[in-house]
Amino acid sequence: MKKLPDAKGHFGPYGGRYIPETLVKACEELAAAFQAVKKDKKFNEELRYYLGAYAGRPTPLYEAKNLSSHFGCGRIFLKREDLLHTGAHKINNTLAQGLLAKRLGKKRIVAETGAGQHGVASATAACVFGLKCVVYMGAVDMERQALNVYKMRLLGAEVRPVHSGSKTLKDATNEAIRDWVTNVEDTHYLLGSVVGPHPYPAMVREFQSVIGNETRHQILKLTGRLPAYLMACVGGGSNSMGIFHPFLKDRNVRMVGIEAAGEGVHTHHHAASITKGRPGVLHGMKSYLLQDKNGQVLLAHSISAGLDYPSVGPEHSYLKDSGRVIYQAVTDREALRGFELLTKLEGIMPALEPAHAVGYLPKLMPKTKRNDIVIICLSGRGDKDMGTVQEHLKV
Amino acid sequence: MATIDFLTQKISQAKRKKAKLFCVFLTLGYPSLPATERLIFSAERSGVDILELGFPFSDPLADGPTIQFSSEKALQKNVNIHDGFRLVSKLRAKGCKMPVVFFGYFNPVCSYGAKDFARDAKKAGFGGLIIPDLPPEEEQAFQKECRKRKLRRIELVAPTTSDKRAKMLVQRSQGFVYYVSLRGVTGARKALPSDLKAHLAKLRRMTKKPVLAGFGISTPKQAADISRMADGVIVGSAVIEHLKRGIPAAERFIKKMSQAVHGV
C-alpha cells in the first residue's frame, strides 16, 4: 500500500490544502514542525508521560461477555477511550497539539467544538500547558451543551458563541479559521478531528493512532489473534481513524465506520456525509460533503452533536472509494437502543457517538462466526448526553 | 464567437496612461439581482475599472461579517452560478465594457463541474477568476482549463507570504496581483497595517503586472493613500455596508471612492 497522504496532503483525489493564502505559511510551518516532532525522542517522551500519568493511558480493552452472549455469536471487545481524563478520546490529540503549539512558540490556541468535548479537551490542554484558549461554539450547540460550556469557562477558556450560518459545528469551524487568519503569528489552531487542510488529517491521525496501536498489542496479548471486525463511529472521523489506521495493512481485519443517519438517510435530517454526500471542498480539504445541487453546504443532523458535521476526514473518503473500510449509517433511534443495550448489559453508559457503533451490532453480529473478534472503539462516556437521553428513554 | 478581453485591454490602457485601477466588489444578488445589475451599470459610469462579482457561498471562510451577511441574504433568494452567468451575458449584450472578475469559493465551482464552469464563465463574459480557497497547487486540470479558455487566474499574496512564494504567485498570476492588505478576513478597518507600504513596494519590484490592494479599505482617504503605494485598490465590504442603507448611498460611495483613486 502507498504511503498516504502524499507530500501535498492528498489521499488520492481527497485532502489537500484549500486555504486562503494568509494561512499557507502557518500550515507549512505546522507540517514541518509535525514532521520534526514525529521522530523527536524528547517530544514523544513528554507526550507519553502526559498521555499516561495525566490522561490515563493505556486504556483497557474490555471483553463485553454479556453483550456477546446476548447476540449468541462472536466475541465483542470494547476499547475503553471513555475512561480517559475529560471523558473521550479527544484528549489524545489536544495534549499532543498543545505540546506542539508550545514548541512552535505560540501563546494562544483556538479551537472549534460541537458537543463541547473537543472544547473541554482543548481547554484542559491549554490549562496544563499554560496557553491562552479561545473556543468557538455554535450558539445552538451552546444551548444544547450548556454543561460543557460551563466546564470550559471553569478551566479558564473563553467560549465565543457563533451566530453565523447554522450556528453549529461547521460555522464554529469557519469562525475558528477566521480567528486563525487574523492572529496567525501567535495562535495555533487546535483542530479536533482528521479534517481540515494538510497537515491536520495526517497529524490528528498520528496523534489518535495510539488507540489502534494499543488495541493491536492488547488483542494479540489477550487472544493471540487479530480481530475479524473493527468498528467505530465517524463524524469528522478521528477516533475511527485512530483505531483503524494501525490495522490497515492487516487484510483480514474488516473495518466498519458508522455514520449518523439521524432520522434516516432518506430524510433531510442526517449527518451521513459518506453515504449521501458527494466530493466537495469545505474547511480546507476535499472530501465527501453534504451539499445541494448548487454546491451550498447542507446542514447535518444527528442526536449526537459530535457526529453533526456535513463532511468527513479526507482519508475516510479515500478508504470508502478503495473499499478498504465499509461505511454504514445508524439512525438516532438505533443509537439510543445501542446506548440502552450497553448500559443494561454491561453497566457502561456510552456517549451517543459510540452508541451508534453499538447500535450497529444487531446487524453485524449475525454475520460473524462463533469465535470472531469484534472490537468497538468506545470513544467517549455518556455523562454529557444525560439530558438528551432523558428526553428519549423512560425508566 | 471570440469574446473581447476587456480585462487585458483595461490593464494595458491603465499602464499607458499611468492611471490607478479601481476595483469594486459586489455580492451577486444582494440586495437583489436587478439591484446588482443597476449597480454594475452605475459603477461603470462612475469610472470603476474592474468589477469583482462575488458569488455567495454558505461557508465564506475568508470573509468578515459584512460579506457573510450579504451572502446569506443572496442565498435566501436562491441565487446561484447560473444567475451570475445570465447576468453577465445580459450586461455584455447591453454594451457593458467593464471587465468582470468572478470571486467565489471553490465548492460551488467544483459542484458545477470545473471544466464546464471555465467554459461557461468565459462564454458569459468573465475575464478572470479569484478563488480565495484555491491555491495554485490544487486542481491542476481546472487550472489548465482556465488557461486554455484564457480565463485569467488572479492570485492572492498575503502579508504572511514568504518572498520565495510571492515570486511564484506573481509569476503565475494573470491580469493583476491581489495583495491582501492585512492579516484577517475581509471587512472595513479603521487603520491599515504599518507594514503595508513596504510589502507593496517589494511586490511591485517583483513584477510588471499591476498590484491591487484589497481587504479593509473603507474611506476615500484610505483608498487614495493606498493607491499611491499600489497600482490600485479593491473595495468590497465598505460598498456592501453602504448598500445596506440603499442603492443610492452605495452609488454615491462608489463615485467618491472612484474619484479618490483616480485623483492620485
Side-chain angles (χ1 to χ4, degrees), chain B:
Chain B
M1 187 192 83
T3 45
I4 307 165
D5 194 344
F6 293 115
L7 184 63
T8 311
Q9 281 184 0
K10 175 65 80 178
I11 286 165
S12 45
Q13 185 196 349
K15 203 145 222 136
R16 269 199 317 275
K17 294 187 181 164
K18 294 198 163 44
K20 300 295 180 181
L21 290 161
F22 179 45
C23 175
V24 159
F25 170 97
L26 291 172
T27 299
L28 174 71
Y30 177 76
S32 69
L33 285 167
T36 307
E37 186 182 336
R38 175 181 155 182
L39 281 157
I40 292 174
F41 278 112
S42 69
E44 189 179 24
R45 284 195 301 275
S46 297
V48 172
D49 297 297
I50 301 166
L51 181 85
E52 196 184 317
L53 191 57
F55 282 61
F57 180 47
S58 52
D59 295 80
L61 58 77
D63 284 301
T66 306
I67 293 173
Q68 287 175 45
F69 168 83
S70 60
S71 300
E72 270 179 42
K73 288 286 167 198
L75 285 178
Q76 281 164 12
K77 298 192 171 174
N78 292 314
V79 168
N80 61 44
I81 288 184
H82 298 280
D83 294 316
F85 289 170
R86 268 196 296 270
L87 177 65
V88 175
S89 302
K90 195 169 151 194
L91 295 170
R92 293 290 176 241
K94 285 186 176 178
C96 170
K97 292 191 170 61
M98 184 168 48
V100 182
V101 169
F102 169 97
F103 176 98
Y105 292 85
F106 188 62
N107 196 57
V109 174
C110 181
S111 168
Y112 190 94
K115 273 195 160 183
D116 293 348
F117 174 87
R119 181 197 61 213
D120 294 350
K122 187 68 191 183
K123 212 168 103 194
F126 282 88
L129 306 174
I130 301 171
I131 305 180
D133 60 349
L134 186 68
E137 288 87 352
E138 301 291 347
E139 303 291 331
Q140 294 319 311
F142 173 61
Q143 314 249 21
K144 206 172 141 196
E145 191 69 18
C146 292
R147 274 197 296 279
K148 197 178 112 190
R149 303 270 174 200
K150 292 205 162 51
L151 203 52
R152 316 284 181 218
R153 275 292 321 264
I154 294 144
E155 302 295 348
L156 296 104
V157 178
T160 51
T161 306
S162 68
D163 289 357
K164 191 176 157 215
R165 188 172 167 84
K167 280 191 188 110
M168 181 273 283
L169 290 169
V170 298
Q171 200 230 323
R172 292 190 67 129
S173 194
Q174 299 167 308
F176 61 91
V177 176
Y178 190 143
Y179 181 71
V180 177
S181 52
L182 48 83
R183 293 163 181 77
V185 293
T186 57
R189 305 287 200 284
K190 283 210 181 72
L192 287 156
S194 53
D195 57 358
L196 181 59
K197 192 172 183 177
H199 276 293
L200 281 169
K202 194 163 66 186
L203 210 54
R204 289 172 83 197
R205 279 197 299 274
M206 285 181 194
T207 179
K208 288 195 171 106
K209 293 165 195 163
V211 177
L212 272 61
F215 279 44
I217 302 166
S218 58
T219 66
K221 184 173 183 309
Q222 281 176 335
D225 288 350
I226 294 168
S227 291
R228 283 186 197 98
M229 310 170 196
D231 299 298
V233 297
I234 303 167
V235 181
S237 299
V239 173
I240 306 293
E241 280 300 330
H242 282 82
L243 201 43
K244 283 183 184 172
R245 278 178 254 145
I247 297 171
E251 288 175 331
R252 281 194 299 275
F253 176 68
I254 290 171
K255 194 162 191 182
K256 257 197 271 171
M257 294 294 269
S258 176
Q259 284 162 352
V261 175
H262 293 127
V264 171

